[in-house]
């Protein structure tokens, strides 16, 4: 088990578009294993490679569905290929902005395509929490954080809270 350091808001890597993975290798799979270890240790439901300082298009999620079963996915080069016009608003947080949460509006359902850790094409039709988690993590690969999805007013309030927390 290997735990990676989770980068927090202010780290440059969180704001850079991540590079596509040219070839899925043993190194990619090791990164994914370490990301799962790191995510579970931090009690998160999703993690993107830039959050552990690796600017590559790799992300993982482990989200409970309505039946309480876990939907676990590791995706390489994921792309949202379809997204619903219908949106909903739910509370979101981020391991890179610990302690802050806010309601974020996103499409209810999305279809995401990417590669599995064994380099097989994957297509996921997701709704609700899984759809939200996938969109949140794919945003990370474009250097986008959930705070960017808020109104300037809400973002301002959160950023003041954040600076206060950091000062201790
Ligand atoms: Ni996040």
């Amino acid at each position: 088990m290997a735990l990676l350091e989770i980068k927090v808001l202010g780290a440059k890597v969180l704001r850079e578009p991540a590079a596509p993975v040219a070839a899925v290798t043993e190194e990619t799979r090791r990164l994914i294993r370490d990301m799962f270890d790191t995510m579970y240790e931090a009690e998160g439901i999703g993690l993107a490679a830039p959050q552990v300082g690796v600017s590559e298009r790799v992300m993982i999620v482990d989200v409970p569905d309505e039946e309480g079963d876990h939907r676990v996915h590791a995706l390489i080069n994921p792309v949202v290929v379809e997204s619903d016009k219908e949106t909903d608003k739910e509370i979101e947080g981020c391991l890179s902005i610990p302690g802050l949460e806010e309601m974020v509006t996103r499409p209810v359902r999305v279809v995401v395509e990417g590669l599995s850790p064994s380099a097989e094409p994957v297509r996921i039709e997701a709704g609700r929490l899984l759809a939200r988690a996938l969109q949140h993590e794919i945003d990370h690969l474009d250097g986008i954080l959930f705070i960017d999805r808020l109104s300037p007013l809400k973002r301002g309030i959160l950023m003041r809270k954040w600076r206060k927390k950091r000062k201790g």
Side-chain angles (χ1 to χ4, degrees):
M1 169 157 161
L3 296 179
L4 306 170
E5 186 200 339
I6 298 177
K7 306 288 178 187
V8 296
L9 186 62
K12 213 172 136 232
V13 66
L14 291 176
R15 290 314 204 166
E16 290 165 350
V21 175
V24 181
T25 62
E26 198 42 54
E27 200 178 323
T28 318
R29 285 183 280 274
R30 190 189 323 126
L31 169 66
I32 288 169
R33 282 195 298 274
D34 293 347
M35 284 172 62
F36 272 113
D37 289 344
T38 305
M39 179 183 77
Y40 289 132
E41 177 76 13
E43 297 182 353
I45 61 168
L47 191 67
Q51 292 182 274
V52 293
V54 178
S55 198
E56 290 180 18
R57 303 188 81 83
V58 176
M59 49 135 294
I60 60 172
V61 291
D62 182 342
V63 173
D65 65 16
E66 275 100 69
E67 284 80 45
D69 295 327
H70 284 250
R71 301 282 305 268
V72 183
H73 296 285
L75 289 176
I76 297 143
N77 300 339
V79 179
V80 177
V81 293
E82 282 173 40
S83 60
D84 219 336
K85 277 204 192 74
E86 188 192 346
T87 60
D88 66 0
K89 209 173 181 184
E90 293 291 341
I91 202 89
E92 275 186 40
C94 180
L95 292 176
S96 293
I97 319 176
L100 295 193
E101 291 183 329
E102 191 45 81
M103 300 291 276
V104 182
T105 302
R106 293 188 190 270
V108 180
R109 280 173 290 273
V110 291
V111 179
V112 172
E113 291 181 351
L115 293 176
S116 75
S118 47
E120 298 290 334
V122 181
R123 181 180 166 93
I124 302 168
E125 295 180 15
R128 303 289 165 190
L129 184 56
L130 179 61
R132 181 168 291 276
L134 289 169
Q135 292 174 81
H136 177 117
E137 300 314 327
I138 292 171
D139 269 357
H140 273 298
L141 306 181
D142 294 320
I144 296 168
L145 303 173
F146 82 88
I147 51 173
D148 304 332
R149 302 269 180 212
L150 306 175
S151 69
L153 178 70
K154 285 254 172 71
R155 185 165 56 243
I157 293 168
L158 275 196
M159 287 305 89
R160 277 193 293 281
K161 266 194 209 164
W162 174 255
R163 283 192 291 271
K164 235 177 174 175
K165 269 175 174 292
R166 302 308 280 175
K167 269 189 225 152

